[in-house]
Each structure stands twice: as structure tokens, then as C-alpha cells.
Amino acid sequence: MDRYQAMTTFVRVLETGSFSAAARQLGVGQPAVSKTVAQLEARLQVSLLIRTTHGLTPTEAGQNFYERARNAIQEADEAELAAKGASIGLSGRLRVSAATTFSRLHVIPKLPAFLAAHPQLDVDFLLDDRMIDLVAEGVDISLRMGALSDSTAVVRKVATGRRSVIATPAYLARAGVPRHPADLANHDTVIYSQLPSVWSFTRDGAAVSVSVSGRLRVSAAEGLRAAILADMGLTITSDWMFAPELERGAVVRVLEGWSLPPIDLWAVFPAGRMMTAKARQFAGFVEDLMNSMV
């Protein structure tokens, strides 16, 4: 039995919560995963998992083994990378979770340069506007914007962007241009459900909060973009989400004399796991990418 492979298999089983999920991530059949774990338990002469109809739970020995095996695997990967040298580049598979629109506009089009620098590296992109369970999905790094709800996660701020109230010239020609945040009550607002519906503006030290409502609410940024570009109303959003349209004038900012809180882009790493060299270098790649846009 390959000890390293057995440790990797057991760690993946525990992190995904099932033999079948671990098998999918490892690219092998479920029987092979079950056999490896059984051989590992036989070799150690201890039960590592409690199997029930509700799933898998580690025994005390299994939890202890998992923590040490996980650290050993990560340290072995780091040691191998260091031994090869930076010129060899990264290898293996990097799993990235990120918001769909942001990735489509700003990250995926720039990936060829990152992949060219690391020809032995494969990248899996999990595109979802919602925060997913990074451990269960085997994610190495997640790119998220705004406030983060998981206080236990390891995070790194990658960039800070501007928020604006935007609309198309056609909509503003029809509905008029708001001059004060209070005017937003008389406008059609497209609500992005991932953000609060109370907008806070400041100007010259004065603060104004406006509660907005609208007939259309969307759960994904792609829907928000489609609605705004169809002249359905105005919205508050990061400039990143409409960067191409802002550049060519397809949408315009309003209330520019008022400031909105900026939005932060974060690299989020799974809690309880060592940050891998692949994840760290990818975070640096995205940080350089976003800074070049300033």
C-alpha cells in the first residue's frame, strides 16, 4: 500500500464526507477508495471511521490521523515544489471558487498567461455567486467580494474597488437623472439579492441612507447586468461588474458627487488547512491583475 496515496485518500474522504465524493475528486472508482481506507485501517490496526446511514464520522484516532496526515501532505507538496525550484512552476490541480461574472470579465480571459507560466498545472473553476463549502468541495482558494460571513476562514485582501449607481443613457433619458440619493425613491431599481437593500451615501461629511425597492430582484450578477443593459432601471454595483460598458459609455454613473462604501475583493482559503503554494501564487496573480486595472 502506498502510504502517501492512502493518506491522501483518507483526507479527501473526510473532507468531502463520503467515499463517492472523494472518488470523484480523485478520479477513481468508489470501490478503490473504500479498499484503500480499509487497508489503511488494517495496517494501523485501528478504526478510523464510523459508517452510518447518515454519513461518515471520524473516530478519535481517525481525527488525529486526519490532522497529521493533512499537514504531512501539504508539507510534502511544499517541499517538492521548493526542491524543483521556482523555474519549474506549479503542478497538479488548483480548484478555484469565484463569482461567475467577475471571473468571466476579469480573471478567465487572463488565465492563459498564468497557465503558460505553469504548464504542469490544471485549474478547475467553480463558478457560483454564493459562497460554497470550500472544504467539502476541495477548493484551494475562493475569490469573494464584500463582507465575509465566515470569521474562521483565512483571508487575504486582493483589491479594493469603487461602487457606483449606474444606468443606461436610454433609461436616464426616459426616467430622468437623480440629483440626490432621495431621488432614487422615484426610480426603477434592480435589486441584487446578494447585497443589502439599504444604500449609504456620504458627501462632505454628511451621510444619507436610502432604502430602495424595485419590481425586479435577481440572485446573480449576470441577471443584474442583463436587466440594466435592457434599460430596466438603475442599480448599485461595483465598477468591476460593468467595466466594459462603463469604458465605452453603454452605462454611466449617476450621483457621482456622493460616495458609496468601496468593495473589497478577498482571497479566501479553507479554514484548518495550510495555504498551498498553488493557492498563494494564484492569489498574487489576481492581485497583480486587479492592480493593473487601477
Side-chain angles (χ1 to χ4, degrees), residues 135-219:
V135 173
E137 296 291 339
V139 170
D140 298 293
I141 179 174
S142 178
L143 301 175
R144 292 297 155 188
M145 286 178 284
L148 301 176
S149 57
D150 186 359
S151 60
T152 65
V154 178
V155 300
R156 166 180 167 182
K157 185 186 292 187
V158 173
T160 298
R162 177 182 179 182
R163 275 196 177 108
S164 302
V165 180
I166 64 101
T168 60
Y171 169 78
L172 296 172
R174 181 179 79 240
V177 179
R179 305 298 179 186
H180 188 279
D183 297 340
L184 296 174
N186 302 318
H187 280 266
D188 296 324
T189 304
V190 181
I191 306 296
Y192 181 38
S193 60
Q194 303 290 335
L195 296 176
S197 58
V198 176
W199 300 353
S200 298
F201 298 83
T202 58
R203 185 176 69 179
D204 300 329
V208 176
S209 293
V210 180
S211 180
V212 296
S213 60
R215 297 177 61 195
L216 178 62
R217 178 181 294 268
V218 297
S219 63

Side-chain angles (χ1 to χ4, degrees), residues 53-114:
T53 56
H54 301 291
L56 301 171
T57 302
T59 62
E60 181 178 357
Q63 184 64 32
N64 290 335
F65 182 81
Y66 162 75
E67 292 172 359
R68 287 163 174 77
R70 179 196 60 197
N71 291 337
I73 292 167
Q74 291 171 344
E75 289 177 5
D77 289 344
E78 294 284 341
E80 184 175 305
L81 182 63
K84 289 179 178 178
S87 61
I88 301 300
L90 305 174
S91 62
R93 186 172 299 275
L94 174 71
R95 285 176 65 82
V96 181
S97 168
T100 304
T101 301
F102 176 81
S103 300
R104 178 176 66 81
L105 291 176
H106 300 295
V107 182
I108 293 177
K110 302 296 184 180
L111 270 182
F114 185 76

